[in-house]
Each structure stands twice: as C-alpha cells, then as structure tokens.
Amino acid sequence: MKSGIDVHLAVNLLKSGNLVGIPTETVYGLAANAFNHEAVSQIFIAKNRPSFDPLIVHTCDVTRIYEFTRQIPEQALKLLLAFAPGPLTVILEKNDLIPDLVSSGLPTIGVRIPNHPLTLELLGQLAFPLAAPSANPFGYISPTTADHVLQGLGDAVSYVLDGGPCSVGVESTIVGFQDGQAVIYRKGGLAVEAIEAVIGPVMVREHSSSRPTAPGMLDKHYAPTKKMILGHLPDLIHQYQGQNIGILSFTGEGLSGDHLFVLSPTGDDREAARNLFGYLRRLDQLPVDYILAELVPEKGLGRAINDRLRRAATR
Ligand code: TXA
Ligand code: MG
C-alpha cells in the first residue's frame, strides 16, 4: 500500500532520504528532509519544478524555528503565536543548516507549522524539518486528498500519509517582512483580515509576474488542462450554448445542468475554499471542452479563491 496512516513508516522513509506525501490543513505536501540537499533535489525532479521556485520548510513548534533561522522579527513572532499551527507561512532569514537549493539561493525561507495531527506527530518524531511544496506536478492543481497525490506523483513518492481531505483547501498565506513592514506575498487559507487584526494594516502584493523573489506568484498556476473562462455565468452559458461545458459556480443560484459544481450553496467562503481544488480536478476529468466559472466576493478566503481562479484561467 502506497498510502495509509503509518507515521513510523513515514519517519523511517524520510530519515533515509525518501519523499513522503504529507497531509496538512491547506493542501498535501511532498516532503523531504530539509537539511538533506540530495533528498530535496528529488522534490524538484518529481514535480518537474524549476529550481528558481523556493520551498516552504515545515516544523512543529515555534522554538524549533530558531534552530534553522537567524531571527524571528517581532511581527512574525506575533503572527506565529496567534496562528501557528495554521495556514500561515512566514518568510525568515535562514541559517547554514538549510541548503541553498531549498531557498533557490535566497537568504530567506518560508516557514510554516501545519495544523494536521498526523503531520504534527510526524514532525515531532524527526530531528529535522521538512521541506515541502504542494504535492502536484508543477503548474497543476494542488492536491487536497491522498488520492490526488497518488494520481499526480504516484511513481515519485515512497508513501503518502493519508490524513483525509484537507480542511482549509487552499495553500497557506505567505507573509514577508521588509523594513518592519509586513507584506502578503500569496493570499491563502489565513484571511488578510485575521492578520490585520493582530499586526495592523499590511501590504498585499497583487498578482505579480515570475520574479525570482516570489516565484509561486507565476501568473499561470493551479491550472486545469481544460480551457477555463471567468465571467458572469448566465452570460457565459448563453455564449457557449451548444458547446460541451462544465460550470463552477459559487452558490449555484438560478443555475442548473449536468456538469454544474457549486462551491457553497450557502455562500460560505470556507466551504468554497475546501471544495475548490477537488471540483476543479473533477471538472478537468469530465468530457467537456470549457470550464466556465465565476469569481466569489473578495473578502475572507474569497481573496485566495479568486486569486487561484484567475491563475487557473490564465493561458
Ligand atoms: O499551504 C502551503 O503552503 C503548502 C503546504 C504543503 O504547506 N505548500 C505550498 O508550497 O503551497 P508551494 O511550493 O506550492 O509554494 C511555495 C511558495 C513558492 O512558490 C514561493 O512563492 C513561496 O512559497 N516562497 C518560498 N520561499 C520563499 C522566499 N524565501 N521568499 C518568497 N517566497 C517564498
Ligand atoms: Mg504549489
């Protein structure tokens, strides 16, 4: 069996330099020993990931972060104390224990304490942190179940710890710190509003290009293979009459049809985030030529959902 809940097996595989799929509350990660250059290089090969796209380093408590970073700025510490474990990644200066490959040559790394009991148990039994990007082939939709991981990277992973479907469903919110100013590099599973309630107003870096300082911000990302079109659904459906279409709606109000996926009938942003990637995958597997979709209200997790939808629709 390539997946299961055998933490002991996962520990041994990681200790000997293998790749293991790990559950988190956001998306599944493809993990390797973050101190082991050779093991980390396998991640880039498995994902077909360009070496200029840095990885996030996962650990299980705040005190351990000091082992592999130079310092934790005050605002970063406040956020960690408020939201870790949780869907937050902070950008911190790394020390020499972390190979340059992990950070793509940057002096900084993303650090995150994921909120999933199996993975916290795993991290607690390891003497090293885990470098882990999302466990999908580069550019494709992130995995939110163990099966998604096996579908995309089955040959590359030794084992997937199966922690069930991810409870948040979109990647962590990434926060960097420049001259005492917090900057959100990637909108994610922790709402901007929640961050601002703890450290005050933050800058949100909108949709930028493929700059080496924030490569996860590549315009085209999280993309299904089918052509995805964003807009006002009733208009789009009219326009694409007679074509093979799938529909991804926020609440489904006033819509019906065969290939209709509704993110949240009650209009709940958290439920919508949880369903987003799984529904995109299912739509991608249907015999349709186009996926028609609409944006959701730009608040709470809606910001991250819209960011992913826009990227998925970018050609
Ligand atoms: O929720 C998540 O964050 C998931 C789970 C597995 O933890 N991980 C994840 O990793 O989404 P990944 O590799 O798909 O996205 C990592 C992104 C990079 O693409 C980059 O944009 C950003 O994190 N990143 C990593 N290190 C960075 C750094 N030093 N400076 C700026 N951005 C960095
Ligand atoms: Mg990713």
Side-chain angles (χ1 to χ4, degrees), residues 47 49 133-134 136 142 171 186 221-222:
K47 279 190 59 114
R49 182 179 177 110
S134 51
N136 51 290
S142 295
E171 297 84 351
R186 178 177 73 185
H221 220 80
Y222 313 103

Side-chain angles (χ1 to χ4, degrees), residues 109-239:
I109 45 167
V111 177
R112 161 160 149 72
I113 302 178
N115 190 14
H116 192 290
L118 274 184
T119 293
L120 287 171
E121 187 186 333
L122 172 70
L123 287 162
Q125 293 183 31
L126 295 170
F128 47 82
L130 292 173
S134 51
N136 51 290
F138 184 71
Y140 196 62
I141 305 159
S142 295
T144 51
T145 67
D147 276 346
H148 293 164
V149 179
L150 290 172
Q151 281 158 25
L153 298 173
D155 295 336
V157 288
S158 300
Y159 188 64
V160 182
L161 260 188
D162 187 349
C166 299
S167 60
V168 173
V170 291
E171 297 84 351
S172 60
T173 301
I174 302 181
V175 190
F177 306 89
Q178 295 167 351
D179 313 317
Q181 165 73 51
V183 180
I184 295 188
Y185 289 133
R186 178 177 73 185
K187 290 174 260 189
L190 181 63
V192 175
E193 293 90 331
I195 289 173
E196 292 191 323
V198 173
I199 57 169
V202 295
M203 271 170 55
V204 181
R205 216 193 250 177
E206 291 303 332
H207 208 57
S208 50
S209 62
S210 56
R211 296 185 325 161
T213 49
M217 311 281 91
L218 292 173
D219 277 345
K220 182 175 155 56
H221 220 80
Y222 313 103
T225 52
K226 301 285 165 64
K227 193 167 162 64
M228 194 162 126
I229 295 131
L230 283 180
H232 181 58
L233 280 177
D235 292 347
L236 286 177
I237 291 166
H238 184 71
Q239 200 181 325

Side-chain angles (χ1 to χ4, degrees), residues 57-126:
V57 176
H58 299 68
T59 188
C60 58
D61 75 75
V62 174
T63 53
R64 285 232 198 159
I65 296 175
Y66 291 96
E67 290 171 16
F68 53 87
T69 60
R70 297 204 185 281
Q71 51 145 336
I72 306 181
E74 193 188 325
Q75 286 180 320
L77 191 58
K78 275 190 187 164
L79 290 179
L80 286 167
L81 293 176
F83 300 116
L88 164 75
T89 292
V90 288
I91 304 295
L92 303 174
E93 259 183 85
K94 75 176 193 74
N95 71 20
D96 292 341
L97 283 176
I98 303 283
D100 286 337
L101 182 61
V102 173
S103 64
S104 302
L106 294 170
T108 53
I109 45 167
V111 177
R112 161 160 149 72
I113 302 178
N115 190 14
H116 192 290
L118 274 184
T119 293
L120 287 171
E121 187 186 333
L122 172 70
L123 287 162
Q125 293 183 31
L126 295 170

